[in-house]
Amino acid sequence: MTRELMIKACSFYTGHLVKTHFCTWRDVTHTNENVVLADKMNREVTCYNFRLQKYIFHHWHSYMEDQKEKLKNMVLRIQRIIYCHKLTIILTKWQNRARCKNKKKEDEYLKHKLQLKNWRNRLLLKGTSAENINFPEQQFFEVCLVDETLEYDISQLPEESKLQIFFYLSLKDVVICGQVNHAWMLMTQLSSLWNAIDFSTVKHMIPDKYIVSTLQRWRLNVLRLNFCGCLLRPKTFRSASHCWNLQELNVSDCPTFTDESMRHISEGCPGVLYLNLSNTTITNRTMRLLPRHFHNLQNLSLAYCRRFTDKGLQYLKLGNGCHKLIYLDLSGCAQISVQGFRYIANSCTGILHLTINDMPTLTDNYVKALVEKCSHITSMVFIGAPHISDCTFKALSTCKLRKIQFEGLISSFALLLRCKGCQQSACSAPKSHVKFFSLPYRIGDVGLKQFLDGPASVRIRELNLSNCVQLSDVSVMKLSEHCPNLNYLSLRNCEHLTAQGIAYIVNIFSLVSTDLSGTDISNEAFCKSSLILECLDVSYCSQLSDMIIKALAIYCINLTSLSIAGCPKITDSAMEMLSAKCHYLHILDISGCVLLTDQILEDLQIGCKQLRILKMQYCTNISKNAAERMPSKVQQQEYNSNDPPHWFGYDREGNPLTQPDNITSSKEHLELTVSEEEAA
């Protein structure tokens, strides 16, 4: 190895190494420039595409906005077309319905006209056939009765059917039926028929020994006994103690019922649930027996029992007590003090129904003492309590009252407290359960409006506004708007009501009975919309004529009670239509209808076969002979042909009386009477 070769080898190696690194560096540098350039190109392409998309989206967005606007306008046009089409359809249907209604009205008028014609033909045929009968009427009825007896024998009926028939009979009728024959006697011996015995219906004719024998025979079947008003010996009452299954006992108005009689009954009949001791001579001894023996007693009446005291009420918590008592009647028990009511509250906390009528000593403190612990009271009646004020209603606001009946003067605040709820009271109980109201006669439009604005007005079923002379048509309008479920309404003697206000009653479709007597209404009646009307009283409405009776006959065919007393313009033609259509009429009062004649009695006999009570006093054109033939068709009848009294406001021919002359004559008569008394 020479030096030249070593230098040459080193130079070659160094050159080769430099060449290798230079090529590597050149390749790396070239590659980085390509990557950067490719990245720039990609970003440029992305930016270009975004600009292109933005441009295209702008045009698309503008196009879609235009399409939406066109679609919106198209929908509005379609809606307008549909609305016009609906109006056209509604108008067409209304026209067709109006035509049908007019046609139906004409057909109905022709129908009623034809019925009235047939009715008159029937009357003529009846009169003709009555003249051609060759045998007595009594004999004809006897033949019919014999045929019916032979054809229908109720002894062949099932036991359930026979029980249903005999349940409608009184005790006297059952005894009479048992004396017909052996088959009928067996029917009257059904055990279920003697579960309830009412001796009050035969109290003046049945002897004590029969009562004793009856109770001894059916002592295991008797569940209910009624001795109301019976004058019996103590031994007879003692026989009731053998009825071990007795649940209801009524000995009210029995003057011979004593504490000793109560002792025997309480020892023998521990299962009594209902006990009526009203108007008897019981004392504190009886009150001590009640909680000891009648552990399940629920209904107790002590009305007008004046011989027990507060101490007797204190006995109610002895033994097992009367904790299950839910009904209590203390009417007329003026001897009870506030402490007595506290005893009741401590002993009978579950009372739901309370009656305290005819108790002039009743004050707010009595009610407060009772309500403190008896918070579940749902029904309360205190008529004849003049010292009750708003404080009582405030105390009752803590109870869940459903029914309250009272008389007296109260403020609008009390009504609001009971029906609308007041923030000033600490009452959390609902106020919308009251269904029956009898409002004070001094209430006016403002007070009634506040009363009806409460939630209770929707649930009211009965409303008595009799003699509320301060009410006007505005109140009736409010009434029709807020009381859609009203069934019974009385507007008697509301002098300021007119036909315009009465017309609002049409909106109360649930109305079953209404009293409009003594009001100034005319023939603009509401019969057409009151198809379910059953009872109507329009007595002493002198402006009414035949039109209202004919409207009643056409639309209110379910009418059962009608009073048109003191309506002098009613004639035979209206009553003829009424007899032809209203076949369910039970009670009819035509007193003072001076234009009616004997013809209406014949019409009523043919058309109103269910008529039970007929009053026709001061009917001057109805003869006595025709009236005497009616008692065989009705159960109760009142008749006289005297002239109408002066307070009717018209004479025997229906002509109105002159008011000054009437007043003068009344004053002269009064002065004459006073002078005669002074002279005497």
Side-chain angles (χ1 to χ4, degrees), residues 567-612:
C567 299
K569 296 182 179 181
I570 306 298
T571 63
D572 289 350
S573 62
M575 298 304 298
E576 183 182 17
M577 177 69 78
L578 184 72
S579 303
K581 301 291 292 184
C582 299
H583 303 301
Y584 305 104
L585 198 63
H586 294 166
I587 303 173
L588 179 62
D589 188 356
I590 55 174
S591 302
C593 297
V594 293
L595 299 183
L596 299 181
T597 63
D598 297 347
Q599 180 63 36
I600 68 160
L601 300 183
E602 298 181 7
D603 298 339
L604 292 174
Q605 291 181 25
I606 299 177
C608 302
K609 296 185 180 298
Q610 299 186 19
L611 191 63
R612 298 292 179 267

Side-chain angles (χ1 to χ4, degrees), residues 613-654:
I613 300 176
L614 177 60
K615 299 180 181 180
M616 43 185 180
Q617 298 184 7
Y618 312 114
C619 294
T620 56
N621 288 326
I622 297 179
S623 63
K624 185 178 180 180
N625 295 332
E628 289 177 350
R629 292 194 295 267
M630 285 300 294
S632 61
K633 307 295 182 182
V634 297
Q635 296 179 356
Q636 180 181 347
Q637 175 178 306
E638 299 178 6
Y639 166 76
N640 67 62
S641 58
N642 301 332
D643 292 344
H646 292 291
W647 55 270
F648 270 47
Y650 54 88
D651 56 16
R652 61 181 294 113
E653 296 180 356

